[in-house]
Amino acid sequence: MEPTQEDIIGDEEMYRENILDHYREPHNAGRIEGATFSHRELNPSCGDTIELFVAIADGKVADVKFDGHGCAISQASVSMLTDHVKGMDVAALKALRKEDVFRLLGVRVGMTRLRCALLGLKTLEVGLATYLNKEL
């Protein structure tokens, strides 16, 4: 059975509330002293910043934390992303795409908030690439 318009609106409202929950009480907020790698990114168009700390053990994400500030979308997105990547191996981290972030958010992101939504992923991608290049 196809979802009705009311179902879709209800689902989007639920996801919006989830975004606000992650913004108000972000998961994995903080820093990791002695992290395997860390990286900081800034969204120059709005001033959002995220610093990501990743601890890798046995080729997998053992712990991940973030520090930063910004709008509800950027902060909720990175909070959800950090939940998602815990336990992932490095190959799976490298395979993450923007569609994965959009799926985590569960709502359509307009062009004005696209960079905000993807700031956490960009921070992870650049930090991981820098770490892997140092290993070579």
Side-chain angles (χ1 to χ4, degrees), residues 92-130:
L93 285 179
K94 287 172 54 175
L96 286 170
R97 298 291 176 252
K98 64 182 179 182
E99 292 78 16
D100 299 313
V101 173
F102 297 148
R103 191 178 68 255
L104 291 171
L105 287 170
V107 295
R108 281 182 235 139
V109 178
M111 290 302 293
T112 57
R113 293 290 182 201
L114 195 57
R115 285 185 181 166
C116 300
L118 297 176
L119 185 59
L121 179 62
K122 179 181 179 186
T123 306
L124 177 63
E125 289 173 337
V126 174
L128 181 62
T130 302

Side-chain angles (χ1 to χ4, degrees), residues 32 36 53-65 85-89 93:
I32 300 173
T36 306
F53 303 85
V54 181
I56 296 179
D58 300 321
K60 294 185 178 188
V61 176
D63 198 9
V64 59
K65 300 224 181 273
V85 302
K86 279 188 179 176
M88 274 190 180
D89 63 31
L93 285 179

Side-chain angles (χ1 to χ4, degrees), residues 61-78:
V61 176
D63 198 9
V64 59
K65 300 224 181 273
F66 77 95
D67 188 22
H69 66 275
C71 69
I73 293 291
S74 73
Q75 300 304 292
S77 176
V78 73

Side-chain angles (χ1 to χ4, degrees), residues 20-29 66 75-76 78-79 82:
L20 289 175
D21 287 346
H22 274 272
Y23 175 66
R24 290 179 189 127
E25 296 183 40
H27 301 184
N28 308 302
F66 77 95
Q75 300 304 292
V78 73
S79 175
T82 57

